[in-house]
Amino acid sequence: MGSPGQQRSGAAVAQNDNAPKAPIACLVCRSRKVKCDKTIPECQNCLRLGVGCPGFSRQNGSISRKEMQKSADDIFKAAGVEKRRVGSCEECRSSKHRCTKTRPACRRCILRNLPCVYPSKPHHLRERESSSQPSSSVASSTAAVAGLTAAAPAPTRPLNDGQWTSPALLHVFGVNVESLCTDTLPKDHGLRLRLIDAYFNRAHHLRCLSFIHRPSFMQSLESASITQDYGEPLLYVMYIYFDAALTLDGADRDSLPSVVPGQAWAERARKEMVGEMHAPTVQSLMTAALLCEYGLREDQHALVFILSAFLHRAIRLLGLDSPRPLPSHHTAAQVTRREVETRIVWASFVIDGLAANGVEKNMCWKDHIPGIPLPCSDDCFTSQLSSTPRYLLQIEDSGMHSAIADLDLSSLLILVVRLRTSVMQLIRVADPGMRIWEPSSQFVRIIDQLGALYSNLPQKYYLTDANLFVLKEQGLIGSVFALHLFIHAVIFDLTRISLAGFSFPLAPAFKSAPVEFRTHCQHLCRYHASQVSEIIRTGISFSPNAFDDLFCPDATVESTKVQIVYAATVDQSPETMQRTRDNIITNLNFLLGIHGRGKDAPTQFVGFFDFPINASAARVAKC
């Protein structure tokens, strides 16, 4: 019979044999060596990867590693998804670019015709072997749950240990970097507030994106109704503007992870918004507008092209671009919603104008101008006593002199973008017989409008020492610098065809123009190009936030071209040559320091010297 202890032990064994056994992780998670949550019917990792979850049968526990890998490969192949391997290739790792980790070659190496070589042992394993410090179990479990251990070479250590940190990096981020690289909304309330502050202080006022009413948004956040009021896709894309890299320099910036903070949020916002395109809402339009801005930063021009068209069509479908009077007894909430809708329309107008760059066949807003008022000032956003409405066509017809001083920043930018579109269209007109010097010509009329805009800017937007600190506190510093750069750039974009080398279709019209008119245009072009360099000096000495807008490096590149050509072909006096050299140095130093548009941005922008002005540049340098 055995002893009572043996009997109890045998009974316990029998009971354990009859008890239900915990399911084994699915084959996909096991092959990728990540933690499986074993959610029925599909685990979260498989849902995130877009593959069918094979389930959690305990029979899978006895198959060999080779069979498991083959089964996982078949699952990825059936889903039409590329299976990512652990570890980046050497090319992507050395250049700190995100690697698709597909074998035998990653997508970046294929596109760039680079040799794609993967290390024999994954990078994070080599680091673990060479480190005497044990990895943090908390950080490891966080990375596993987020799916980072296979999708990217994420560290298994907390931020304050090893290569992922320096005192400057820890001070700037203040959080574990891994929490910024997942595709789920952050749970920590303090982190959410930091991300939201980054958006409102850095991106909210750029390019007429100020359609989110901050007081209403913060009230919704504090009342825990933010997801219901604004939708998850909009929140995802708002959070991507947390750009701590802008406050880092040199080695500290180079120590940042290759995974871009917020990239996964932007991708999830895009997927969810595209799924809602069939039923557009105000929230989905706001998401699309912010994704356009993000797409331009990441050089995703095809995405911007598609989303811009969606914005235009959805706005027309909802009738947001037509006058719609408010009820006679309207509420503050109705006024706020109407202003939000108005700002979405103008944001779409600006995005389209800048993305199309004056090419008519690429423009959505080419047939008409929205017949709604321009955005009101932020002070009147929710006012039940509406401010005097201003209309774009009325301001253009009045010559701009009387209305400019009363316009808010968003309205001024809309005017500039509208004029820029007109300039880009005009210089593409092949009409050598056009009498561009006559006061009634479109050429002179645009110059007069730009001059009126430049001369009548409200004083609160001047780049004075007193104003700069106020503008920074208000989160307006980047948009005001962009406004000044836009104005100067639009003027020299139009008048540069008076210089040699800028062979736009309209340039031959200067052959029959009076010499005095051509000389005036050349001097005007050079003056405004040099003003760009002055603005760059002011911004560099004040704050990196001054150059948040994507147009800043573009304006700098074109300004440099103009100054080189002018100094080489029009005025070779010692004074002009010296000032041109100083401005070029300023411009190049600025371009070489650009990092907000990827690590390759400095090379891309400085590469404008491939433009056929090398002889002119060399001539200026020798002088």
Side-chain angles (χ1 to χ4, degrees), residues 327-489:
S328 55
H329 300 289
H330 49 261
T331 64
Q334 290 173 319
V335 174
T336 301
R337 180 177 177 84
R338 180 57 52 82
E339 181 61 23
V340 167
E341 295 170 348
T342 297
R343 295 187 179 209
I344 291 173
V345 173
W346 289 114
S348 170
F349 183 83
V350 168
I351 291 169
D352 181 61
L354 295 177
N357 205 31
V359 179
E360 188 171 350
K361 66 179 182 180
N362 292 339
M363 294 174 60
C364 295
W365 291 95
K366 59 184 177 182
D367 297 327
H368 71 289
I369 301 298
I372 57 176
L374 292 168
C376 68
S377 66
D378 288 342
D379 297 337
C380 303
F381 205 120
T382 58
S383 174
Q384 297 189 42
L385 299 174
S386 59
S387 58
T388 303
R390 302 280 186 177
Y391 294 86
L392 179 56
L393 290 178
Q394 290 180 353
I395 294 174
E396 288 182 337
D397 293 340
S398 67
M400 298 193 180
H401 294 81
S402 58
I404 297 299
D406 299 327
L407 295 182
D408 203 32
L409 186 58
S410 295
S411 298
L412 292 170
L413 183 57
I414 292 168
L415 285 177
V416 176
V417 171
R418 164 75 167 163
L419 288 170
R420 182 177 184 270
T421 300
S422 299
V423 165
M424 292 301 178
Q425 290 177 317
L426 180 60
I427 63 177
R428 291 186 171 94
V429 175
D431 186 1
M434 183 183 296
R435 300 172 68 85
I436 58 177
W437 60 90
E438 292 185 349
S440 60
S441 70
Q442 187 181 3
F443 191 96
V444 174
R445 187 166 64 252
I446 291 177
I447 290 179
D448 289 344
Q449 289 176 326
L450 288 166
L453 179 60
Y454 182 57
S455 303
N456 293 281
L457 278 180
Q459 291 188 0
K460 61 182 177 181
Y461 299 136
Y462 288 178
L463 298 180
T464 61
D465 291 341
N467 277 351
L468 290 178
F469 289 97
V470 175
L471 293 171
K472 185 177 180 181
E473 286 296 315
Q474 295 174 338
L476 298 173
I477 187 72
S479 53
V480 171
F481 267 80
L483 175 66
H484 283 267
L485 290 174
F486 265 115
I487 294 174
H488 292 297

